[in-house]
């Protein structure tokens, strides 16, 4: 990340962006926003409605101005086709092409990517916005459109009496076949179903006939907090329960998962813990920090301090909404430090590392990284990273372990920032460049699974009884 006095990344010099003051103020302001709670009362079921977010007039205008921006910056003649016919072959006959050379691709099964139309063209980042990794990161966070979707929420009670929230697409329980593939989405730190990158992936998967559910960690996206314990990069218990719950509800379906940032770290750790017993059929990891020690080192350098403070504000905002639950805690807890944390490290030192039994925050980071889990992954896993990601450093990617594991694939883009990837047909306001690739990969694995098991599947069964779930609270949201 930072080398000497300039802020840059390995093999990709990023221009220093300390002058982006307005973006900084916006980023900090977002972290202070809070929303009403979604309470969970014991094991009772109670319907309740959550207030819908006020539509932004800017979002509507993006659809109108996006084509003009694209035509201005990317003339039609410069737009690369999704595939190229072989001039020496017959008319209209196309030949398979490997992913374009602008991408770093690694993994034993990288050949399967040759069939992906979305990977044949050069990675072409949107001009101006991609000139600086911080500009791209902040633009995507605040200017990307937010697709409208009606969600139905389940609050799932954990064995320790905690709770997480699952947001399903409303009506899908009736609209989709009982054996439709299920996709679980894991947002990043403090993220949830209202984040733009989550919504875009949800909409794309749903348009392909997939059943989609967003896993909101404790306290995130109004997920209730019922015990003095949030979540951490190391804790996979809640994800394990969510996956078991989804499999119990849809036993005829293949279940997949996509995680971003911290959600990706948790997901990959889970895959490594489950090894060959993993019930998932496939997974995708995006913007994974992989090595939290390295990520923490870079988090305190240059402009990255802005992200650090913003995420700390988001964490403390969630904490303060539930501060009464943490009153009277004894032992090594430093509640004032967590409540007034100015950095993520402060919050983790005061609360997270104690809640999950680590000796120090450094012990927490070194033992919560997902880089060591890659070697134990036994299901298809696609990892997509940006070489200039300011929060998930490129040097932390476990490239050799990914290459050595026949189940893993890696794609590294030259640009993208963190959760940005402002590129592709829908740039600058639409979905991230990664979404079509993620969906092509998941559909490939799903077709592969169906092909290998078609002789054992009974297509005559049209319904299956749902498992009893008395520990749920259900309400309609957004």
């Amino acid at each position: 990340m930072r080398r000497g006095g300039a802020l840059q990344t390995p093999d990709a010099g990023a221009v220093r962006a300390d002058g982006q003051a307005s973006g900084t103020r916006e980023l900090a302001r977002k972290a202070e926003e809070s929303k009403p709670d979604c309470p969970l009362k014991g094991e009772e079921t109670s319907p309740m409605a959550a207030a819908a977010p006020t539509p932004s007039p800017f979002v509507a205008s993006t659809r109108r101005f996006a084509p003009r921006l694209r035509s201005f910056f990317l003339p039609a003649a410069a737009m690369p086709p999704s595939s190229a016919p072989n001039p020496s072959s017959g008319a209209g006959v196309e030949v398979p092409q490997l992913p374009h050379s602008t991408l770093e691709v690694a993994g034993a099964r990288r050949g399967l990517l040759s069939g992906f139309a979305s990977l044949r063209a050069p990675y072409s980042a949107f001009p101006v916005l991609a000139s600086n990794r911080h500009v791209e990161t902040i633009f995507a966070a605040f200017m990307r459109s937010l697709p409208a979707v009606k969600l139905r929420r389940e609050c799932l009670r954990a064995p320790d009496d905690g709770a997480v929230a699952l947001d399903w697409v409303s009506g899908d329980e009736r609209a989709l076949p009982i054996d439709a593939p299920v996709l679980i989405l894991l947002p990043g730190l403090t993220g949830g179903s209202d984040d733009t990158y989550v919504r875009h992936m949800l909409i794309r998967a749903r348009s392909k006939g997939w059943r989609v559910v967003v896993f909101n960690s404790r306290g995130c996206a109004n997920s209730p907090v019922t015990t003095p314990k949030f979540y951490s990069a190391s804790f996979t218990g809640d994800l394990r329960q969510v996956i078991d719950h989804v499999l119990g509800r849809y036993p005829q379906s293949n279940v997949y998962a996509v995680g971003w940032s911290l959600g990706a770290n948790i997901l990959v750790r889970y895959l490594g813990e489950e090894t060959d017993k993993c019930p998932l059929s496939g997974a995708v990891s995006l913007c994974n920090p992989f090595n939290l020690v390295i990520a923490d080192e870079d988090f305190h350098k240059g402009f990255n301090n802005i992200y650090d403070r913003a995420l700390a504000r988001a964490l403390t905002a969630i904490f303060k909404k539930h501060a009464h639950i943490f009153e009277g805690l004894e032992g090594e807890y430093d509640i004032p430090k967590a409540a007034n944390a100015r950095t993520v490290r402060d919050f983790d030192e005061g609360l997270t590392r104690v809640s999950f039994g680590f000796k120090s925050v450094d012990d927490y980071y070194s033992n919560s990284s997902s880089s060591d889990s890659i070697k134990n992954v036994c299901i298809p896993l696609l990892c997509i990273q940006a070489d200039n990601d300011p929060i998930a450093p490129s040097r932390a990617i476990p490239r050799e372990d990914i290459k050595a594991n026949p189940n893993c694939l890696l794609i590294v883009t030259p640009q993208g920032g963190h959760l940005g990837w402002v590129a592709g047909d829908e740039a600058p306001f639409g979905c991230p460049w990664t979404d079509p690739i993620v969906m092509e990969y998941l559909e490939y694995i799903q077709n592969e699974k169906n092909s290998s098991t078609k002789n054992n599947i009974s297509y005559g069964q049209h319904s299956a009884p749902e498992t009893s779930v008395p520990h749920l609270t259900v309400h309609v949201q957004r």
Side-chain angles (χ1 to χ4, degrees):
M1 300 270 78
R2 190 180 178 95
R3 294 286 185 270
L7 186 61
Q8 51 184 316
T9 56
D11 304 320
V15 181
R16 187 179 178 88
D18 300 66
Q20 302 297 325
S22 61
T24 298
R25 289 193 294 270
E26 283 293 309
L27 192 63
R29 185 176 68 180
K30 182 187 179 187
E32 296 180 314
E33 294 178 353
S34 59
K35 303 174 184 177
D37 281 337
C38 163
L40 183 73
K41 298 181 179 180
E43 296 184 352
E44 301 176 359
T45 301
S46 60
M48 55 186 61
T54 304
S56 167
F58 176 81
V59 171
S61 69
T62 61
R63 297 190 182 95
R64 188 167 67 251
F65 293 124
R68 299 179 188 177
L69 282 173
R70 289 187 59 79
S71 63
F72 180 78
F73 287 111
L74 298 172
M79 295 293 287
S82 60
S83 61
N86 184 353
S88 63
S89 63
V93 178
E94 296 183 357
V95 295
Q97 302 178 34
L98 292 175
H100 200 274
S101 59
T102 52
L103 304 172
E104 176 190 342
V105 180
R109 300 189 68 192
R110 59 188 179 276
L112 70 85
L113 300 178
S114 63
F116 291 10
S118 52
L119 288 176
R120 293 177 188 166
Y123 179 85
S124 181
F126 198 82
V128 180
L129 299 179
S131 63
N132 180 284
R133 59 181 179 167
H134 303 299
V135 172
E136 186 169 12
T137 298
I138 294 172
F139 179 90
F142 293 100
M143 301 304 183
R144 178 167 281 148
S145 61
L146 181 68
V149 60
K150 188 176 182 181
L151 301 174
R152 176 179 59 85
R153 171 161 290 187
E154 287 184 335
C155 292
L156 181 63
R157 186 171 293 280
D160 69 346
D161 218 27
V164 297
L166 304 181
D167 286 339
W168 303 81
V169 178
S170 183
D172 274 2
E173 65 276 12
R174 298 179 300 276
L176 294 176
I178 196 69
D179 61 348
V182 182
L183 180 60
I184 302 172
L185 304 181
L186 287 77
L189 180 64
T190 75
S193 55
D194 282 340
D195 285 349
T196 59
Y197 62 89
V198 175
R199 287 283 186 95
H200 276 284
M201 188 70 250
L202 181 153
I203 291 295
R204 181 172 294 270
R206 180 58 187 85
S207 71
K208 300 290 186 178
W210 288 51
R211 195 184 312 276
V212 189
V213 57
V214 183
F215 166 31
N216 302 292
S217 292
R218 305 183 188 202
C220 297
N222 271 352
S223 184
V225 176
T226 56
T227 63
K229 188 176 185 179
F230 285 123
Y231 62 103
S232 77
S234 65
F235 183 57
T236 59
D238 285 348
L239 174 59
R240 184 169 286 102
Q241 184 184 10
V242 167
I243 291 172
D244 289 346
H245 168 68
V246 171
L247 287 164
R249 174 163 289 188
Y250 297 105
Q252 295 178 327
S253 299
N254 292 327
V255 179
Y256 303 80
V258 172
W260 293 266
S261 197
L262 188 73
N265 188 82
I266 295 171
L267 174 59
V268 173
R269 283 183 59 84
Y270 166 82
L271 301 180
E273 290 173 1
E274 293 294 307
T275 61
D276 59 348
K277 302 297 192 298
C278 183
L280 293 177
S281 295
V284 179
S285 162
L286 302 121
C287 289
N288 191 338
F290 280 115
N291 188 314
L292 299 186
V293 174
I294 293 176
D296 179 59
E297 290 174 358
D298 289 2
F299 219 25
H300 311 296
K301 299 175 180 178
F303 193 83
N304 284 8
N305 283 288
I306 300 301
Y307 306 128
D308 194 8
R309 289 197 294 269
L311 287 171
R313 286 174 185 255
L315 287 168
T316 56
I318 295 173
F319 175 83
K320 289 176 181 177
K321 289 170 60 177
H322 309 282
H324 64 282
I325 298 177
F326 296 84
E327 293 177 357
L329 289 180
E330 300 178 351
E332 299 182 45
Y333 288 97
D334 190 339
I335 299 305
K337 186 170 189 174
N340 300 287
R342 294 182 60 83
T343 67
V344 173
R345 186 182 180 89
D346 285 346
F347 187 88
D348 288 339
E349 177 62 52
L351 184 66
T352 309
R353 68 95 180 168
V354 185
S355 297
F356 292 92
F358 294 98
K359 299 176 182 178
S360 67
V361 70
D362 291 319
D363 180 42
Y364 165 48
Y365 291 155
S366 63
N367 288 286
S368 300
S369 300
S370 61
S371 54
D372 293 335
S373 301
I374 288 292
K375 62 176 71 74
N376 297 319
V377 172
C378 294
I379 67 165
L381 171 65
L382 172 63
C383 302
I384 309 181
Q385 304 285 124
D387 190 59
N388 69 345
D389 193 320
I391 295 175
S394 178
R395 62 193 175 95
I397 301 172
R399 287 174 167 84
E400 295 308 313
D401 284 345
I402 290 175
K403 293 176 183 177
N405 188 329
N407 300 297
C408 297
L409 278 171
L410 171 67
I411 299 174
V412 182
T413 60
Q415 296 161 301
H418 189 70
L419 301 176
W421 282 304
V422 184
D425 294 340
E426 296 187 25
F429 302 112
C431 74
W433 172 88
T434 51
D435 282 10
I437 291 91
V438 169
M439 205 63 236
E440 279 193 89
Y441 177 77
L442 292 175
E443 288 189 300
Y444 179 92
I445 300 301
Q446 171 68 3
N447 292 336
E448 193 175 55
K449 294 280 290 185
N450 285 343
S451 177
S452 64
T453 60
K454 61 182 179 180
N455 294 328
N456 298 321
I457 297 176
S458 173
Y459 292 100
Q461 187 173 2
H462 298 291
S463 62
E466 294 190 354
T467 56
S468 176
V469 282
H471 51 287
L472 297 177
T473 296
V474 183
H475 77 273
V476 177
Q477 178 191 7
R478 289 174 286 283

